[in-house]
Amino acid sequence: MPHEVPHAYGAGDLPVEIDRDRAVILGGDSVAVLPRLAAGVADALVTDPPYGLEFNGHAWDGAAGFAESMPDVDLSTMTAPEVFEVWCAAWARGALHALKPGAHLAAFGGTRTWHRMVQGIEDAGFEVRDQIAWLYSSGMPKSMDIAYALDKRNGVLRPDRVVQESGGEGVLGATRRVVHQGAPVSDEALQWEGWGTGLRPSFEPIIIARKPIPGTVVDSVRMHGTGALHIDAARFGDDGRWSANAALDTAQAESLDLLTGSWRGVSASARFPVFRYEHKAPGSERPRAFGVSHSTVKPLSLMRWLVRLITPPGGLVLEPFAGSGATIEAALEEGMRVVAIEKDASFVPLIASRIDRVQMRRTEG
C-alpha cells in the first residue's frame, strides 16, 4: 500500500510507492500528481505514454480513460481524438511545471495519433524541437482481410482456413493466429482478394520538445544545466558519429545496406544509430511479478540512449507513465535519479523488480 511521506521532490502528501536507490515512484494519475511536484525540479522527461489507440481494448488508452483524468473538463462535444489531445495538453502542463527551464522532453507516439499528442504538448507551452524516427522490421500488420470479411458477411465458410489458438499466459494472454487465411469462396471475396486496411507497422515517432528558455541557451546551461542536448553521450559507431534523428534496428540496417550498398567503403546504415534488439522488448526485458506483466515495453537500450541524449549527468529524469519501469531502469543504469508516476498499482512490483535488477548488476560489477 502507498504511504504518504514528506519528500524533496514535491508536496508532503505525495503518495510514495517506492523510495530507494535514487528512484521515487509515486502512485496516482499523472494529470493530478504532476502539478503537485516541486516547480522546476526535473532535468528531463522521458516517457512512453498511452497513444490514444485503445490498445488491446484497454480503457487507459481510450477516451473513457482519459476523461477520468479530467473530471472538471467538459468533453461532451469532443471526438475521441480531441479528448486525447486535451488529455495530452493536461499532462504536459503538469510536466512543464515540474521541469527546469530549458529541460527537454522525449515522448513516443503512435503514427495515427501522434499529431494530436504534439499539438497538446505544444499547447501546454513546450517548444517542439525535433522528432526521432524509430524504425524497426518485426512489426505485425493489424489489417482486416477484406475478402475474408466478405465471405463471412455472406455466411460462407472457408474449409481450408487454419487458425491457431493459444491459451497460455504470455505477455498478452491468450492469442489467436491465422496460420492460413484460406481461399476466397464467394464472388465478392474473389473480387476483393488481396485488399486490406492497414500497413505493417515499422515506425514510431518520438517527439523532442523543450521547456522555453528565459534568455539564451548558454544562460540556461550555466544556470540550470539544461537547454542543450548531450551530443557526445549519444554518439554511435566506432568513429563516434553525430546522432541523427532516425534510429534503426538491426534488420532495418541490413535491408538498407542490401538496397544501397556502400559508398567509399562505408555502409549506408553506418550513418544511423543501430540498436541491436527486437522492436518490442524481449522476454528478459518484460518483468513479471505476482502474475502481472506489462504489454507495451520499450527496449532498455533505446530508453538509455534517450536518457543520455537529453539529461545532464546525474540529473533527475521525470517519467509520468512508468508502466513496468523501462525508463526507470534506463535512468538508474545511466547514473541518473528518477521520479516516476504510475496509476496502476499492480505494476509497482514490476518496477521494484527492475530496481532490484539494477542493484544486483551494480553489486556484481
Side-chain angles (χ1 to χ4, degrees):
M1 295 292 292
H3 58 286
E4 296 182 349
V5 297
H7 206 282
Y9 296 141
D13 60 346
L14 286 172
V16 179
E17 298 276 3
I18 300 174
D19 184 358
R20 62 188 176 94
D21 192 33
R22 296 172 289 130
V24 174
I25 317 303
L26 306 173
D29 191 307
S30 288
V31 173
V33 175
L34 283 167
R36 297 167 61 194
L37 294 177
V41 69
D43 297 287
L45 185 152
V46 178
T47 190
D48 182 21
Y51 294 175
L53 295 172
E54 298 184 347
F55 176 79
N56 274 10
H58 290 300
W60 52 260
D61 195 32
F66 302 141
E68 291 178 1
S69 300
M70 304 177 291
D72 299 327
V73 180
D74 182 8
L75 306 173
S76 59
T77 62
M78 296 185 190
T79 63
E82 289 171 337
V83 171
F84 176 62
E85 183 176 321
V86 171
W87 176 78
C88 288
W91 70 255
R93 278 193 296 271
L96 193 80
H97 156 80
L99 289 169
K100 295 177 180 178
H104 281 85
L105 170 156
F108 288 81
T111 54
R112 284 161 43 197
T113 57
W114 105 284
H115 61 292
R116 293 282 185 176
M117 181 184 73
V118 173
Q119 186 63 61
I121 289 172
E122 192 172 48
D123 288 347
F126 282 91
E127 301 169 347
V128 176
R129 301 291 297 173
D130 210 333
Q131 69 164 309
I132 297 172
W134 177 35
L135 307 178
Y136 52 86
S137 297
S138 49
M140 294 298 294
K142 299 175 180 64
S143 175
M144 176 191 293
D145 183 326
I146 300 299
Y148 174 72
L150 286 167
D151 270 345
K152 188 175 181 179
R153 176 71 63 86
N154 291 323
V156 178
L157 297 178
R158 294 184 176 182
D160 55 342
R161 178 177 166 85
V162 180
V163 179
Q164 186 178 70
E165 298 192 20
S166 170
E169 294 185 1
V171 173
L172 301 179
T175 59
R176 296 178 74 253
R177 185 170 70 91
V178 178
V179 179
H180 179 58
Q181 280 284 12
V185 178
S186 66
D187 290 340
E188 275 190 309
L190 288 166
Q191 179 184 350
W192 290 97
E193 184 179 9
W195 289 76
T197 58
L199 301 172
R200 178 174 61 83
S202 296
F203 155 66
E204 282 188 25
I206 307 168
I207 181 177
I208 303 295
R210 187 173 69 184
K211 182 172 178 176
I213 297 171
T216 68
V217 173
V218 172
D219 292 335
S220 182
V221 167
R222 295 180 70 183
M223 184 174 298
H224 304 292
T226 57
L229 300 174
H230 198 171
I231 300 299
D232 279 359
R235 288 182 182 272
F236 64 95
D238 296 336
D239 53 354
R241 288 177 176 261
W242 197 290
S243 276
N245 60 0
L248 315 177
D249 74 352
T250 307
Q252 284 281 358
E254 291 173 350
S255 297
L256 179 62
D257 292 340
L258 182 64
L259 290 171
T260 60
S262 62
W263 184 67
R264 293 183 178 178
V266 179
S267 65
S269 66
R271 294 168 173 80
F272 302 94
V274 177
F275 294 98
R276 300 185 181 281
Y277 50 58
E278 302 170 45
H279 89 282
K280 292 297 183 183
S284 62
E285 292 184 15
R286 294 179 184 269
R288 190 176 186 89
F290 301 103
V292 177
S293 64
H294 199 277
S295 55
T296 58
V297 181
K298 288 297 185 296
L300 183 61
S301 55
L302 174 62
M303 306 311 290
R304 292 184 65 171
W305 182 68
L306 289 172
V307 166
R308 289 198 305 273
L309 177 66
I310 70 171
T311 315
L316 178 66
V317 177
L318 179 61
E319 165 57 290
F321 306 98
S324 74
T327 299
I328 297 165
E329 184 175 0
L332 295 177
E333 287 285 5
E334 292 298 326
M336 312 297 181
R337 295 167 291 131
V338 61
V339 171
I341 303 168
E342 178 49 50
K343 186 177 182 180
D344 190 338
S346 68
F347 293 143
V348 172
L350 305 182
I351 297 170
S353 71
R354 284 193 184 267
I355 297 173
D356 291 340
R357 188 158 61 184
V358 173
Q359 292 177 323
M360 186 178 302
R361 290 195 194 108
R362 189 178 300 126
T363 300
E364 292 174 350

